[in-house]
Amino acid sequence: MINFVTHNLNKFNEINAIMENNKIGISMVKLEYEEIQADSTEYISNDSCKKLVNVVDSPYFIDDTGLYIEDLNGFPGPYASYVQETLGNKNIIKLASGSKAYFKTVISFYYNRIYQFTGILHGKISDRERGENKFGYDPIFVPENSDQTLAELSLEEKNRISHRSKAINNLISFLIENNIK
Ligand code: ITT
């Protein structure tokens, strides 16, 4: 069993579906830990993961995800959580409708040391909120080669293309190569 430290049920459900398809068991661990502020998601994620050594049973991992909007010079990037709470999707549309953007997920996995796995999804900011699956920025993010927002896709459809699924599939290849369960 692998521990996934997160408070975010949407993240857990997306990742758990992919893990189940690969017959890998994960357990959701809700824990408070302090996140440093920095410009690099990889750096923040590495620092958070280190703080959990001897706190959470290994192997464990965390998911840090940022949204990078081209017209806003990469903002909010790693501040995605704070900006979602303060500005929200309506204000992001006012600021950046039509802009290219991408999501980046960094998975930091601890097993004797930290390993990182990354996934990116390119797309653009829509002109209005669309979709029923209201997870964070999903209602305003239209992936490349799609007319629908991520919130209009089912969990399975999102998992076929998403930043998170790419990062997790990289982790899964590593788990299989190293026979980690
Ligand atoms: P943790 O407990 O795992 O840290 P969190 O919600 O604080 O959960 P992050 O800081 O990584 O997670 O995420 C930043 C925010 O970006 C998150 O609160 C969502 O609003 C948004 N977000 C993350 N992944 C997303 C996705 O796949 N689609 C849409 N929005 C997403």
Side-chain angles (χ1 to χ4, degrees):
M1 185 67 84
I2 299 173
N3 286 317
F4 175 21
V5 182
T6 184
H7 287 93
N8 192 314
L9 195 57
N10 291 298
K11 285 184 183 178
F12 181 81
N13 289 338
E14 289 179 12
I15 291 178
N16 195 38
I18 303 170
M19 291 295 197
E20 275 181 349
N21 286 341
N22 288 277
K23 307 207 167 16
I24 299 168
I26 61 168
S27 165
M28 182 171 181
V29 177
K30 292 185 193 170
L31 258 182
E32 296 302 329
Y33 59 88
E34 231 170 84
E35 209 171 78
I36 52 157
Q37 292 206 349
D39 291 336
S40 149
T41 309
E42 284 83 353
Y43 186 83
I44 297 168
S45 188
N46 188 71
D47 180 81
S48 300
C49 193
K50 228 184 323 187
K51 286 184 184 137
L52 296 170
V53 177
N54 299 327
V55 179
V56 181
D57 286 342
S58 150
Y60 65 82
F61 67 93
I62 57 174
D63 165 322
D64 284 285
T65 297
L67 175 68
Y68 300 77
I69 302 176
E70 195 171 285
D71 285 4
L72 305 180
N73 298 327
F75 182 82
Y79 306 103
S81 178
Y82 178 69
V83 169
Q84 179 63 228
E85 282 162 26
T86 50
L87 289 182
N89 287 337
K90 287 200 169 55
N91 284 311
I92 294 288
I93 287 173
K94 278 188 207 155
L95 291 170
S97 171
S99 172
K100 283 188 186 169
Y102 66 89
F103 275 112
K104 181 165 77 178
T105 292
V106 177
I107 299 288
S108 293
F109 174 75
Y110 185 82
Y111 185 67
N112 300 322
R113 53 160 277 213
I114 295 170
Y115 300 86
Q116 289 194 321
F117 305 91
T118 303
I120 287 179
L121 175 65
H122 290 280
K124 64 171 192 216
I125 303 299
S126 65
D127 55 5
R128 62 188 173 89
E129 291 181 84
R130 279 188 276 136
E132 291 302 309
N133 303 323
K134 296 194 186 336
F135 169 22
Y137 298 95
D138 279 356
I140 62 163
F141 188 89
V142 181
E144 240 173 21
N145 306 318
S146 171
D147 297 325
Q148 292 175 299
T149 66
L150 283 177
E152 292 177 295
L153 305 183
S154 67
L155 186 143
E156 292 73 25
E157 287 167 335
K158 181 178 174 186
N159 272 347
R160 240 174 265 145
I161 57 169
S162 81
H163 41 297
R164 178 161 297 107
S165 68
K166 289 174 191 161
I168 285 297
N169 282 319
N170 290 334
L171 168 62
I172 289 173
S173 300
F174 177 83
L175 295 176
I176 293 170
E177 273 164 31
N178 293 282
N179 200 24
I180 302 168
K181 285 173 189 140

